[in-house]
């Protein structure tokens, strides 16, 4: 190695050892803390599912594309409206927040079909919806 290059490598190694270049690792904090399902069912499953799908994809776009850490969405077509809310802890990176949303959105569909309200709470984020 040429002396200058040698010096540069030494300098970079030193800066690394001082944590001069912070390396942030992905951590969407998806440990499930709490979940709940309403025991009440939507009157029309297809209407309800349309509204639920619409609100979840609206939230997904706000979190994934607009990098929001707090988002609400509603779809109120027909007799079974859906109102949804999502929040990430503010210290999560945009990509961790989006990853937490993906996990939460999959989990929240785990209630019995048509359950008209649900919540899932993780270390890093929470998601809930209700029909009222
Ligand atoms: C809601 O539907 C589920 C099946 O999908 C059923 O087990 C449950 O009893 C229903 N709840 C009410 C309150 O009717
Ligand atoms: C809603 O989304 C789920 C999961 O992606 C899909 O299986 C279902 O067919 C959708 N329902 C409606 C009414 O769009
Ligand atoms: C839904 O619940 C089942 C049974 O508790 C579990 O095995 C599955 O992983 C859950 N699905 C999601 C997306 O978490």
């Amino acid at each position: 190695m040429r002396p200058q290059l040698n010096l540069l490598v030494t300098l970079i190694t030193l800066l690394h050892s001082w944590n001069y270049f912070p390396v942030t690792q992905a951590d969407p904090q998806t440990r499930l803390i709490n979940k709940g399902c309403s025991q009440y069912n939507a009157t029309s499953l297809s209407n309800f599912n349309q509204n639920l799908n619409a609100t979840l994809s609206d939230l997904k776009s706000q979190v994934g594309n607009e990098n929001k850490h707090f988002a609400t969405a509603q779809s109120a077509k027909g007799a079974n409206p859906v109102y949804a809310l999502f929040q990430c802890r503010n210290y999560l990176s945009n990509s961790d927040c989006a990853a937490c949303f993906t996990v939460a959105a999959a989990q929240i569909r785990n209630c019995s079909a048509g359950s008209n309200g649900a919540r899932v709470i993780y270390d890093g984020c929470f998601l809930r919806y209700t029909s009222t």
Side-chain angles (χ1 to χ4, degrees):
M1 257 192 271
R2 298 204 314 267
Q4 294 95 326
L5 185 59
N6 223 333
L7 190 65
L8 187 65
V9 169
T10 306
L11 185 64
I12 288 172
T13 307
L14 262 178
L15 289 174
H16 262 292
S17 71
W18 295 336
N19 277 328
Y20 192 82
F21 307 115
V23 178
T24 46
Q25 282 177 336
D27 182 10
Q29 304 202 335
T30 50
R31 187 175 65 95
L32 185 62
I33 295 172
N34 182 282
K35 61 180 172 173
C37 303
S38 165
Q39 59 176 318
Y40 299 105
N41 296 320
T43 54
S44 161
L45 196 55
S46 65
N47 174 231
F48 169 77
N49 277 334
Q50 272 175 9
N51 285 326
L52 180 59
N53 287 6
T55 53
L56 290 180
S57 63
D58 184 343
L59 290 179
K60 182 184 166 71
S61 135
Q62 292 187 57
V63 174
N65 304 334
E66 297 168 40
N67 295 328
K68 290 189 181 171
H69 279 50
F70 174 78
T72 62
Q74 64 179 60
S75 180
K77 295 193 192 91
N80 297 271
V82 173
Y83 308 91
L85 183 156
F86 174 79
Q87 185 165 21
C88 272
R89 291 194 186 271
N90 59 8
Y91 55 73
L92 255 62
S93 69
N94 291 336
S95 62
D96 283 344
C97 184
C100 201
F101 176 82
T102 300
V103 170
Q107 178 66 46
I108 211 163
R109 290 187 173 276
N110 232 357
C111 295
S112 67
S115 174
N116 71 359
R119 65 171 188 278
V120 289
I121 304 174
Y122 295 88
D123 279 342
C125 67
F126 80 90
L127 173 63
R128 64 169 298 194
Y129 72 77
T130 173
S131 218
T132 53

